């Protein structure tokens, strides 16, 4: 196979259309007829029932008493307006449809909702909450609990021990383009322009909910302005827009306001982690226990795999990892970039840092000393594992050797300076996908897959993958995605898009080459469609993961406790890199995401009224340019023939994992103050300086 | 958003007349705060009177170095004005520390003075708030109040004033120029703002039918040094957890003038009068600064989650004045 395109830093296919504003998003479609606009009415009680809904405006009003009855799905969050029950503040209890957005918004604000059975919210997560239970499995199908050996005895007899609680707050994705949908029914055929990471998934869900054949549902997501997991599955905005379109016979546009994204489309659950480490005198781990607690809503069970990474990252003969879920009067948590791995590795990688100080051993050396030969969870070999290379390469480039290990000892003026390190791991996930490749009579080539490019560069990378499989230059390939009418594909999620879609693209392109006997000499038209279930089922039993080492240097103001990140370096083992320009951008974005998680991102649970009290981007902080002064991402050479045909590992999420712990460990090194409760805001540092 | 009417005023008198004729009218400057609040339902004016086109966008410099800043001057233009930058660094820095470049380009000096609190209950019209809806209660006292007041709050409201610029203007003893139906008058900025008291819905002592047309800023003594320092949860585009605008004059090692205004800690820019009085005549030293601000902070009444502001303000003011004293010696 030629590899002239894979590995090249080519520019994003749609970059010019996005920069010039030519790119159209879900709510910006030009429609043949004047559209109607839908605005929803959020519940203003934390729990109870809707008794009556009234409007005095001349608009179409939908609520549970007149909304059409939907088909049933496992995701009960999508049962929009199907019952009188209010499960959380902000839930959709009604909607209005009007000729203009302004009229709809005004009318929605003046809809009167009568409630009954309102009660104070039970919305505070704790490790003692009476509703805690062990779910059957956790997100992505991982087991709830895993115990190996006798961690209790091993912890008791350990020479060195760490026994600490760590916590992370609710976090919100809130991508730049809000969740938005344009929906249109025409002769029983539904067309939906939806801001989604999963056009094929939305197609299936809407078909079930609205009782039509999937072939009569088309979901278009040509451009998507970010997702981070919040658009990984069908969300209530799509359901409501389709319902409104059928109720009115109009083309309906619905764009959620920024505030709604904090309640309605999922968020990262708060997590509590109890981590216990036991080690020999030389730092060899004898026991590792990671017990986790998190929340879900009254209407849908979602449990992050918070302890999953702790099963794979260090060798220790005695191990326990558990997940417990509390059912609260809260909005439904959902996926957010590296669900489980990001908060879980904050806990375990902070605990390892604490152990390094307890023993008096360099934290990098401690990690290397506990490097497993095989996957500790399964006993399987790793397809490839570069933790040690990443740590060593990073240490060299970061200047780790010059570090005075004593906390609180480096000071420049009124700033305390410190550095920290953390390991990162994220699984290689691949799902079956289909794709087609077609050559026309004029020799032009189109490759199609119902993938979604949420800003990561999927369209560009898939062109490169197709070009190599066809042995042509990437310029010759037109890549079509973002449309459920194209060959069915899994969603952009779990850092699995490129591998899943790319495998199908590769297979289709190779079959096309076989069919026409070489692209250069080919006379079209000819087309093939391929699907990859068999290949993926046939993979060997190996542990496949991306790894990394995160380094951070921080300064802490001695007068105010303000923490600022001076520089970050991430070194990753991610297999073959498809496009260095896009990969670097993704990794830096992930590291910046982690910086936000470490220092600022926190939804404040409103214990009085339910929901979150801060729900816009002025009060919920994400990093701004001034916070991100020097972030560098690189990767070690890694050849791995046991991945997909392209040989790459996902990079969407690995960049986030590890960076919060690296920053927290740097804060400790700078100040001697250990903050175990994210985010590390100045009020948690200052009293201890 | 509630439906409203819109009219552009032709001159100041016209704007006053329009205000006087509608008790629910509001003035529109840059719109960077008001329009947001209207979208949220936290402000519901019946009419907007646009004063952004009036000729109020001029900065005049007097021979003695004092300034007159029109109410329609943009925050960006104020911050980069050469006289402001060289003689009033406290003001330039305060303005530049606020919002983002895009917002500062739109926002006006007059509008900045009348920014409303960022308290999350005030901005969420589905929840009670005595400031937005008098008599409905103050959930912030028991609720989300990490960034709210520690000084001068009442049982009715613990909101903070969000402006950085107003804090600097308070330390500069700025005077607000007002035009109403009965003509023009002036008000020291310290008398413009109110504490929450029983009427937290009233932010200022200006009448509904009055307009701020400009601000005059007296010249600082030649020997005085000034600075603005703001503490916040991220490096840019965040409101102050606490801030200080300080003006210091030191002669022969002794403080001959100290002006300290605090932001992010009270319902208005908080002039630290107790600390200022304590400092007069004392050695310009770290210990004196610390003792002075400690005296000021005796009045602090922090809530459950904002007690950190007490040591924060203590350290912030002490170190800021210490730095100013050091610079004063170097001059």
């Amino acid at each position: 196979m030629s590899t002239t395109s894979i590995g090249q830093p080519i520019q994003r296919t749609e970059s010019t259309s996005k920069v010039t504003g030519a790119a159209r998003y879900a709510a910006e479609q030009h429609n043949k007829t004047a559209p109607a606009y839908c605005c929803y009415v959020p519940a203003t009680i934390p729990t109870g029932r809707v008794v009556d809904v009234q409007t005095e405006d001349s608009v179409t009003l939908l609520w549970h008493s007149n909304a059409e009855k939907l088909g049933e799905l496992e995701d009960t969050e999508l049962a929009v307006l199907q019952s009188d029950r209010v499960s959380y503040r902000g839930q959709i209890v009604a909607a209005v449809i009007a000729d203009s957005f302004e009229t709809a918004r005004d009318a929605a604000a003046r809809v009167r909702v009568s409630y009954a059975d309102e009660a104070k919210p039970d919305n505070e997560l704790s490790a003692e909450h009476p509703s805690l239970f062990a779910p059957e499995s956790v997100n992505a199908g991982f087991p709830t609990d895993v115990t190996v050996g006798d961690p209790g005895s091993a912890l008791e007899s350990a020479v060195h021990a760490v026994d600490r609680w760590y916590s992370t707050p609710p976090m919100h994705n809130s991508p730049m383009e809000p969740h938005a949908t344009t929906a249109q029914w025409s002769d029983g055929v539904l067309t939906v322009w939806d801001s989604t990471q999963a056009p094929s998934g939305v197609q299936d869900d809407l078909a079930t909910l609205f009782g039509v054949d999937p072939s009569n549902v088309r979901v278009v997501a040509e451009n998507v302005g970010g997702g981070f997991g919040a658009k990984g599955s069908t969300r209530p905005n799509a359901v409501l827009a389709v319902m409104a379109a059928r109720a009115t016979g109009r083309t309906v546009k619905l764009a959620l306001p920024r505030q709604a994204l904090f309640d309605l489309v999922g968020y990262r659950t708060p997590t509590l982690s109890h981590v216990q480490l036991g080690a020999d005198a030389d730092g060899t781990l004898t026991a590792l226990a990671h017990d986790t607690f998190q929340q879900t809503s009254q209407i849908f069970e979602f449990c992050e795999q918070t302890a999953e990474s702790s099963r794979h990252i260090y060798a220790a003969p005695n191990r326990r990892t558990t997940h417990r879920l509390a059912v609260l009067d809260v909005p439904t948590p959902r996926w957010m970039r590296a669900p489980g791995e990001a908060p879980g590795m904050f806990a375990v990688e902070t605990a390892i840092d604490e152990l390094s100080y307890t023993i008096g051993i360099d934290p990098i050396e401690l990690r290397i000393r506990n490097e497993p030969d095989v996957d500790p969870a399964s006993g399987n070999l790793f397809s490839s594992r570069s933790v040690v290379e990443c740590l060593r390469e990073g240490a060299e480039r970061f200047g780790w050797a010059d570090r005075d290990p004593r906390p609180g000892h480096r000071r420049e003026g009124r700033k305390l300076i410190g550095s920290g390190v953390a390991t990162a791991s994220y699984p290689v996930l691949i799902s079956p996908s289909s794709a087609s490749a077609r050559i026309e009579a004029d020799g032009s080539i189109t490759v199609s897959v119902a993938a979604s490019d949420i800003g990561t560069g999927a369209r560009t990378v898939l062109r490169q993958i197709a070009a190599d499989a066809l042995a042509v230059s990437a310029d010759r390939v037109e890549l079509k995605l973002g449309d459920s009418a194209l060959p069915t594909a899994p969603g952009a999620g779990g850092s699995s898009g490129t591998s899943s879609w790319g495998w199908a693209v590769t297979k289709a392109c190779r079959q096309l080459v076989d069919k026409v006997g070489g692209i250069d000499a080919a006379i079209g038209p000819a087309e093939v469609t391929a699907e990859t279930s068999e290949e993926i089922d046939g993979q060997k039993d190996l542990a496949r993961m991306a790894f990394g080492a995160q380094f951070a240097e921080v300064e802490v103001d001695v007068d105010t406790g303000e923490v600022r990140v001076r520089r970050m370096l991430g070194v990753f083992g991610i297999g073959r890199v498809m496009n260095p320009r896009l990969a670097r951008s993704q990794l830096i974005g992930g590291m910046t995401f982690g910086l936000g998680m470490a220092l600022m991102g926190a939804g404040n649970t409103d214990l009085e009224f339910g929901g979150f009290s801060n729900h816009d981007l002025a009060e919920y902080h994400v990093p701004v340019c001034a916070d991100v002064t020097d972030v560098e991402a690189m990767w070690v050479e890694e050849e791995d023939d046991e991945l997909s045909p392209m040989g790459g590992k996902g990079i969407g999420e690995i960049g986030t994992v590890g960076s919060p712990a690296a920053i927290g460990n740097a804060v400790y090194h700078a100040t001697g103050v250990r903050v175990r409760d994210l985010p590390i805001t100045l009020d948690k540092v200052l009293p201890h300086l | 958003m509630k439906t409203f009417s819109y009219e552009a005023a032709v001159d100041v008198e016209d704007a006053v007349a329009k205000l006087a004729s509608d008790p629910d009218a509001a003035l529109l400057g840059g719109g960077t705060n008001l329009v947001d609040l209207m979208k949220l339902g936290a402000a519901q004016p019946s009419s907007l009177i646009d004063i952004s086109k009036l000729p109020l966008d001029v900065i005049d410099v007097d021979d003695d170095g004092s300034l007159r800043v029109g109410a329609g001057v943009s925050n960006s233009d104020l911050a980069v004005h050469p006289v402001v930058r060289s003689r009033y660094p406290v003001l330039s820095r305060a303005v530049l520390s606020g919002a983002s470049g895009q917002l500062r380009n739109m926002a006006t000096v007059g509008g900045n003075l009348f920014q409303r609190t960022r308290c999350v209950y005030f901005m969420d019209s589905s929840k009670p708030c005595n400031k937005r809806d008098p008599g409905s209660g103050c959930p912030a006292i028991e609720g989300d109040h990490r960034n709210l007041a520690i000084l001068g709050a009442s049982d009715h409201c613990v909101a903070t004033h969000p402006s950085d610029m107003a804090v600097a203007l308070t330390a500069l003893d700025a005077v607000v120029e007002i035009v109403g139906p009965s003509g023009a008058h002036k008000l020291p900025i310290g008398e413009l703002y109110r504490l929450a008291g029983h009427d937290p819905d009233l932010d200022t002592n200006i009448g509904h039918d009055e307009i701020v047309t400009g601000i005059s800023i007296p010249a600082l003594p030649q020997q005085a040094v000034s600075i603005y320092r703001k503490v916040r949860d991220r490096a840019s585009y965040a409101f102050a957890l606490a801030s200080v605008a300080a003006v210091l004059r030191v002669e022969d090692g002794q403080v001959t003038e100290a002006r300290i205004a605090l932001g992010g800690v009270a319902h208005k820019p908080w002039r630290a009068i107790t600390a200022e009085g304590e400092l007069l005549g004392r050695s310009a030293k770290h210990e004196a600064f610390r003792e002075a601000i400690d005296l000021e902070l005796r009045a602090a009444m922090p809530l459950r989650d904002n007690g950190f502001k007490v040591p924060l303000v203590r350290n912030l003011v002490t170190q800021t004045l210490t730095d100013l004293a050091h610079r004063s010696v170097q001059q």
Side-chain angles (χ1 to χ4, degrees):
Chain A
M1 184 178 78
S2 157
T3 55
T4 50
S5 281
I6 289 177
Q8 296 302 310
I10 69 171
Q11 187 178 306
R12 222 174 269 250
T13 309
E14 68 284 0
S15 55
T16 304
S17 71
K18 283 189 172 175
V19 169
T20 57
R24 299 259 158 208
Y25 292 80
E28 300 176 332
Q29 302 302 318
H30 291 305
N31 299 98
K32 287 177 192 151
T33 55
Y37 294 82
C38 180
C39 286
Y40 85 105
V41 178
T44 54
I45 63 167
T47 173
R49 288 188 304 114
V50 173
V51 176
D52 192 24
V53 177
Q54 292 199 349
T55 178
E56 286 170 7
D57 294 281
S58 51
V59 293
T60 303
L61 174 70
L62 294 176
W63 60 299
H64 74 79
S65 80
N66 67 356
E68 69 172 293
K69 294 304 157 205
L70 300 174
E72 287 189 14
L73 284 173
E74 187 187 346
D75 185 350
T76 43
E77 181 75 50
L78 300 179
V80 177
L81 300 181
Q82 297 300 290
S83 86
D84 63 351
R85 189 171 159 209
V86 174
S87 295
Y88 59 85
R89 185 188 187 87
Q91 193 174 7
I92 297 171
V93 294
V96 296
I97 303 112
D99 285 343
S100 77
F101 169 68
E102 289 77 12
T103 306
R105 182 169 64 176
D106 183 37
R110 290 190 286 122
V111 163
R112 287 195 311 280
V113 182
S114 311
Y115 297 103
D117 305 335
E118 181 182 355
K120 286 282 178 194
D122 172 7
N123 60 352
E124 192 166 19
L125 175 65
S126 78
E128 289 85 37
H129 196 277
S131 70
L132 283 169
F133 74 104
E136 278 189 24
S137 66
V138 302
N139 183 46
F142 293 114
T144 307
D145 296 350
V146 177
T147 300
V148 176
D150 184 353
S153 302
L155 286 165
E156 274 180 28
S157 60
V159 179
H160 298 292
V162 167
D163 184 337
R164 291 290 186 184
W165 284 82
Y166 305 90
S167 59
T168 62
M171 296 183 64
H172 300 275
N173 305 9
S174 209
M176 195 183 292
E177 183 200 13
H179 288 61
T181 309
T182 300
Q184 186 177 67
W185 287 94
S186 180
D187 299 329
V189 174
L190 172 64
T191 307
V192 171
W193 292 263
D194 193 36
S195 186
T196 181
Q197 296 171 232
S200 298
V202 174
Q203 177 191 24
D204 286 345
D205 286 349
L206 292 179
T208 302
L209 287 166
F210 291 93
V212 290
D213 192 88
S215 63
N216 286 331
V217 179
R218 183 179 172 198
V219 177
V220 183
E222 188 186 3
N223 294 291
V224 179
F228 313 114
K231 296 173 185 169
S233 56
T234 310
R235 295 291 79 205
N237 53 288
V239 181
L240 184 57
V242 173
M243 186 187 280
R246 190 137 84 173
T248 58
R250 306 272 302 268
T251 297
V252 168
K253 290 182 186 247
L254 189 165
L256 293 182
R258 180 63 57 186
Q259 287 79 6
L261 303 191
F262 288 75
D263 299 321
L264 205 54
V265 297
Y267 60 98
R268 195 195 295 287
T269 174
T271 69
L272 307 171
S273 281
H274 184 203
V275 180
Q276 294 165 282
L277 302 175
D280 282 348
D282 69 352
T284 304
L285 285 172
T286 54
L288 187 162
H290 187 179
D291 299 303
T292 69
F293 304 84
Q294 49 209 310
Q295 72 189 29
T296 194
S297 71
Q298 300 284 358
I299 53 173
F300 183 69
E301 178 185 310
F302 177 78
C303 189
E304 280 204 15
Q305 63 274 37
T306 308
E308 168 63 14
S309 286
S310 297
R311 294 167 177 163
H312 309 283
I313 197 67
Y314 296 116
N318 302 288
R319 340 172 41 87
R320 182 183 70 244
T321 44
T322 66
H323 296 84
R324 296 294 177 269
L325 196 57
V327 180
L328 304 177
D329 300 326
V330 294
T332 306
R334 199 71 179 171
W335 300 313
M336 181 174 184
R337 207 171 195 171
E341 281 81 9
M345 287 207 88
F346 164 70
V348 76
E349 285 300 293
T350 308
I352 287 285
D353 200 64
E354 300 209 45
L355 182 65
S356 80
Y357 284 97
T358 301
I359 304 175
I361 181 173
D362 180 83
I364 292 178
E365 175 57 30
L366 178 64
R367 286 175 169 87
I368 292 173
R369 203 165 284 182
N370 288 290
E371 175 70 1
D373 297 325
V374 296
D375 176 26
S378 63
N380 288 334
L381 292 171
F382 288 100
S383 67
S384 59
R385 178 172 167 121
S386 302
V387 173
V388 174
E389 292 90 327
C390 291
L391 285 166
R392 292 216 160 106
E393 178 79 22
E396 173 75 25
R397 292 190 175 249
F398 197 72
W400 190 260
D402 303 332
R403 178 181 189 258
D404 180 340
R406 294 171 297 173
H409 266 260
R410 186 174 158 203
R411 183 164 167 159
E412 296 174 8
R414 312 279 312 159
K415 309 283 188 198
L416 292 163
I417 316 297
S419 53
V421 65
T423 304
S425 96
Y426 191 84
V428 173
L429 305 171
I430 302 181
S431 302
S433 177
S434 53
S436 69
R438 178 180 174 87
I439 184 164
E440 306 294 343
D442 64 2
S444 61
I445 301 165
T446 307
V447 173
S448 304
V449 53
S452 174
D453 187 338
I454 61 172
T456 54
R459 190 183 271 110
T460 312
V461 165
L462 291 174
R463 268 177 61 214
Q464 294 175 271
I465 290 169
D468 282 3
L470 295 163
V472 301
S473 100
D475 298 340
R476 269 193 74 182
V477 179
E478 187 192 352
L479 199 293
K480 284 191 173 170
L481 51 63
D483 188 338
S484 68
L486 304 172
T488 306
S495 299
S496 67
T498 302
S499 300
S500 304
W501 309 320
W503 200 330
V505 164
T506 301
K507 186 175 175 184
C509 288
R510 287 181 183 169
Q511 287 183 357
L512 181 67
V513 171
D514 290 345
K515 185 172 182 176
V516 299
I519 292 296
D520 284 336
I523 298 165
E527 178 168 355
V528 297
T529 300
E531 204 273 345
T532 56
S533 298
E534 244 177 67
E535 288 82 352
I536 289 166
D537 285 346
Q539 282 195 298
K540 285 185 212 164
D541 283 336
L542 292 168
R544 295 177 179 82
M545 283 168 213
F547 295 99
Q550 301 266 9
F551 295 78
E553 182 176 287
V554 303
E555 61 177 43
V556 181
D557 190 297
V558 297
D559 299 308
T560 65
E562 288 165 289
V563 177
R564 301 287 186 250
V565 174
R566 284 188 162 189
R567 60 190 178 109
M568 289 177 77
L569 170 67
V571 184
F572 301 95
I574 45 178
R576 182 190 292 159
V577 170
M578 303 291 113
N579 180 324
R581 182 201 298 240
L582 298 177
R584 181 176 172 277
S585 170
Q586 273 281 81
L587 293 167
I588 287 174
M591 292 168 72
T592 304
F593 211 90
L595 188 161
M597 182 174 170
L599 300 183
M600 53 193 85
N604 299 332
T605 299
D606 194 322
L607 300 177
E608 170 78 14
F609 299 103
F612 301 98
S613 57
N614 56 338
H615 53 198
D616 58 45
L617 293 178
E619 306 303 324
Y620 180 94
H621 285 179
V622 298
V624 295
C625 289
D627 295 298
V628 188
T629 53
D630 181 357
V631 177
E632 191 183 348
M634 50 177 292
W635 41 88
V636 296
E637 286 297 317
E638 198 173 75
E639 289 295 324
D640 189 333
D641 297 329
E642 299 291 349
L643 301 168
S644 63
M646 302 82 68
K649 299 174 178 178
I651 52 176
E653 293 164 271
I654 185 71
T656 299
V657 185
S659 62
I663 291 168
N665 294 341
V667 171
Y668 176 75
H669 182 236
T671 61
V673 180
R674 182 68 75 179
V675 179
R676 301 182 181 89
D677 172 32
L678 292 184
I680 304 170
T681 45
L682 64 92
D683 47 311
K684 297 174 187 170
V685 178
L686 181 61
H688 309 289
L689 288 180
Chain B
M1 188 190 281
K2 184 181 156 190
T3 303
F4 60 93
S5 64
Y6 167 91
E7 279 187 287
V10 296
D11 56 28
V12 170
E13 288 68 30
D14 181 41
V16 170
K18 286 185 161 74
L19 270 181
S21 70
D22 180 355
D24 291 326
L27 295 176
L28 181 71
T32 56
N33 186 222
L34 178 64
V35 175
D36 277 357
L37 293 176
M38 289 168 68
K39 288 179 184 170
L40 296 172
Q44 301 196 333
S46 55
S47 61
L48 287 187
I49 301 159
D50 188 346
I51 54 170
S52 65
K53 303 294 188 294
L54 300 187
L56 299 173
D57 56 348
V58 178
I59 300 177
D60 295 316
V61 185
D62 265 2
D63 293 342
D64 66 353
S66 65
L67 281 182
R68 192 191 167 282
V69 181
V73 170
S74 78
N75 283 22
S76 295
D77 287 346
L78 176 66
V80 303
H81 191 279
V83 173
V84 175
R85 288 176 62 169
S86 61
R87 295 193 198 164
Y88 303 91
V90 61
L91 180 58
S92 180
R93 289 202 185 202
V95 173
L96 288 175
S97 75
S100 65
Q102 294 91 331
L103 288 167
R104 291 194 295 270
N105 288 341
M106 285 299 294
T108 63
V109 166
N112 195 308
L113 292 176
F114 295 97
Q115 263 191 96
R116 311 225 53 201
T117 184
R118 303 297 301 192
C119 176
V120 291
Y121 301 99
F122 172 75
M123 293 197 296
D124 187 341
S125 54
S126 69
K127 295 176 183 173
C129 167
N130 284 330
K131 183 179 273 296
R132 192 188 62 246
D133 186 9
S136 61
C138 176
I141 293 171
E142 297 289 329
D144 184 345
H145 56 233
R146 176 175 173 267
N147 59 357
L148 299 183
I150 58 168
L151 287 163
S154 78
D155 293 343
H156 304 283
C157 180
V158 291
T160 44
H161 192 265
S163 169
D164 293 293
M165 187 191 79
V167 179
L169 291 175
T170 299
L172 289 170
D173 287 328
V175 174
V176 181
E177 299 171 1
I178 299 164
V179 175
S182 53
H185 70 283
K186 295 186 176 186
L187 195 65
I189 193 166
E191 295 173 27
L192 175 67
Y193 294 111
R194 300 164 58 95
L195 287 179
H198 291 279
D199 309 301
D201 54 314
L202 303 176
D203 289 353
T204 64
N205 289 315
I206 190 168
H208 169 71
D209 50 6
E210 294 183 317
I211 293 178
V212 168
T213 53
I215 298 159
S216 50
I217 306 171
L220 282 174
Q222 283 295 329
Q223 307 92 324
V225 286
S226 74
I227 191 120
Y228 187 76
R229 194 166 163 208
K230 176 176 179 177
V231 179
R232 47 185 155 181
D233 279 327
R234 62 182 165 191
S236 170
Y237 191 48
F239 291 89
L241 291 170
S243 68
V244 59
V247 177
L248 190 70
R249 185 152 58 102
V250 178
E251 289 167 281
D252 299 329
Q254 299 213 311
V255 176
T256 55
E257 185 171 3
R259 294 193 233 156
I260 304 163
L262 304 174
V265 294
H267 200 254
K268 63 179 190 177
W270 183 267
R271 190 74 184 256
I273 296 166
T274 305
E276 291 178 4
E278 170 70 12
L279 279 173
L280 274 188
R282 291 199 54 181
S283 291
K285 292 231 161 64
H286 187 271
E287 297 72 31
F289 299 137
R290 186 180 171 102
E291 284 170 26
I293 194 62
D294 271 343
L295 274 182
E296 186 75 38
L297 287 168
R298 277 189 189 177
M301 304 252 294
L303 302 161
R304 183 192 66 234
D305 293 334
N306 69 1
F308 71 93
K309 288 192 177 188
V310 175
L312 178 63
V313 169
R314 175 189 299 133
N315 293 354
L316 179 65
V317 170
T318 303
Q319 193 54 40
T320 300
L321 292 175
T322 303
D323 291 345
L324 277 183
H326 185 63
R327 272 178 39 201
S328 180
V329 170
Q330 287 177 329
Q331 273 192 352

